[in-house]
Structures are given as C-alpha cells and as structure tokens.
Amino acid sequence: MLTDLFTPSVLRSLDLAGIFVFAISGALLAVRKNFDVFGIAVLAEVTALGGGLIRDLIIGAVPPAAFTDFGYFVTPLIAASLVFFLHPEVERINGAVGVFDAAGLGLFCVAGTTKAYEYGLSLTASVTLGVATAAGGGVLRDVLANEVPSLLRWDREIYAVPALVGSSVVALLVHFDALSGGTSALAALLAFALRLCAMRFGWRAPRAWNRRSTAREETEGA
C-alpha cells in the first residue's frame, strides 16, 4: 500500500530524514550523559532504528531494512559524528531539532501503521505498531541512558498521544478505503501539529484521579 502512495525513492528519503533527526536526539542525550564516542554512536543508532526494528521483527519483515540498506545504518553515524564535533552548536538549535523530531514522529507513526497492515495485522494491532515505530526508539534510548522513558513521565509533554492519534487516523482511513498520499500526509501533519502544540503549551497526560501518593516527586529538588 505504501508503494502505491509514494515511490520507493521518496519513501526512502522520508525514512532517512526521520532517522537522522531521531539520531540527533539520541546523540545529544549521550553527550549530556557524558558518554564516550562509542556510547554516542550506540544511542544514536538505537534511537533512530529501534522503533522500526521492533515493528519489523513483530510483523516478520526480516531481515529488517536497517540490516539490508546501508543508508539506514550509516545515517545515524553521520548524525552522531555531527553531534560529537559540534554538540554546542547543535544544542543551540535544540528547538529546531525538536520540530524535526515531531515531524519524524508524524511520519513514522503513519508509515509504521501502514506497513503493519500490509503484513496482515488487524487495524488495532497496526495502530499499536504505528505508535511503537514512532516512540520505540526513544524508549530504548532512555532505558540505555538509565532514565525513566520520557513517554512515561508526567512532567514531560505528551509524545505517544500524538503518535496514537496519527496512527488511529490512518486506521480509520484504511477502514473506509480512503487512504491516499494526500490523506496519509494529513494524518502525519495532524500528529506533527499535536506534538508541536504539546511542546508549545506544555500539554501533559493526566495522572491518577484523586491521587494521594506521598511519594516524593522526581522533579522536586532537581
């Protein structure tokens, strides 16, 4: 279905763009954690490719593209090298990196949902894998960096919710036989816009109703 909507070269270019910006975010976290050059490269690779690897292994698309297309593997290394040598400059444009990360989120949730459906999964399972494609790399990155994954933290702007919305829209479009290049782009733009709004206005997911925990907040005293 994806190949009916976009040419293979366009798909690959979009994939590599998303991989690059996700790799930048992983490499920047590695620098903040004072990792060495190997750690920077590993975190860049995991952040960029982790979600797609999870999806491909679950749906049986093996070997995953990350192991069959050299560009998928080397792009995170280019991003890691950029951050290794120019991280102060990259940090200064971190806001712009966040925008590109949001764009990658929108693209990957749509691509992940569509690819999962192509491999015979139900719409509900396809939505789940769409979210995993978009957010899985970030979860693996945070775990390797010994941090609570961002999408599980109440004090971070919503991340998985925009991906869930974008993936759900794709599922509805498939259900009503309305998926096309234009509607796929609109679904990606919706997820992108929601993530940008969350970053701009500090939208967060609600915590437990009538919460009475006396546990110390993680952010207190930070």
Side-chain angles (χ1 to χ4, degrees), residues 42-200:
V42 168
L43 228 56
E45 291 279 358
V46 166
T47 308
L49 303 176
L53 284 173
I54 292 170
R55 177 203 61 212
D56 288 350
L57 290 174
I58 290 175
I59 65 178
V62 292
F67 294 98
T68 59
D69 188 323
F70 185 68
Y72 281 63
F73 180 78
V74 76
T75 298
L77 295 181
I78 295 172
S81 299
L82 181 67
V83 171
F84 181 80
F85 289 106
L86 301 173
H87 63 87
E89 288 73 16
V90 176
E91 287 278 12
R92 279 196 285 270
I93 62 167
N94 202 30
V97 173
V99 172
F100 285 114
D101 182 84
L105 179 81
L107 169 67
F108 280 16
C109 72
V110 171
T113 303
T114 310
K115 185 171 182 179
Y117 185 73
E118 282 181 336
Y119 274 76
L121 270 67
S122 67
L123 289 176
T124 301
S126 297
V127 168
T128 302
L129 283 186
V131 176
T133 303
V139 171
L140 294 175
R141 173 201 64 205
D142 292 342
V143 169
L144 287 177
N146 198 29
E147 291 198 347
V148 176
S150 296
L151 64 82
L152 300 180
R153 294 182 55 170
W154 75 271
D155 59 323
R156 300 289 177 88
E157 298 87 357
I158 54 174
Y159 194 87
V161 172
L164 178 61
V165 171
S167 296
S168 298
V169 169
V170 172
L172 288 173
L173 291 171
V174 171
H175 179 73
F176 291 106
D177 197 25
L179 189 67
S180 65
T183 55
S184 294
L186 288 175
L189 283 173
L190 177 60
F192 172 64
L194 285 174
R195 174 58 182 162
L196 287 185
C197 288
M199 293 165 59
R200 174 65 177 83

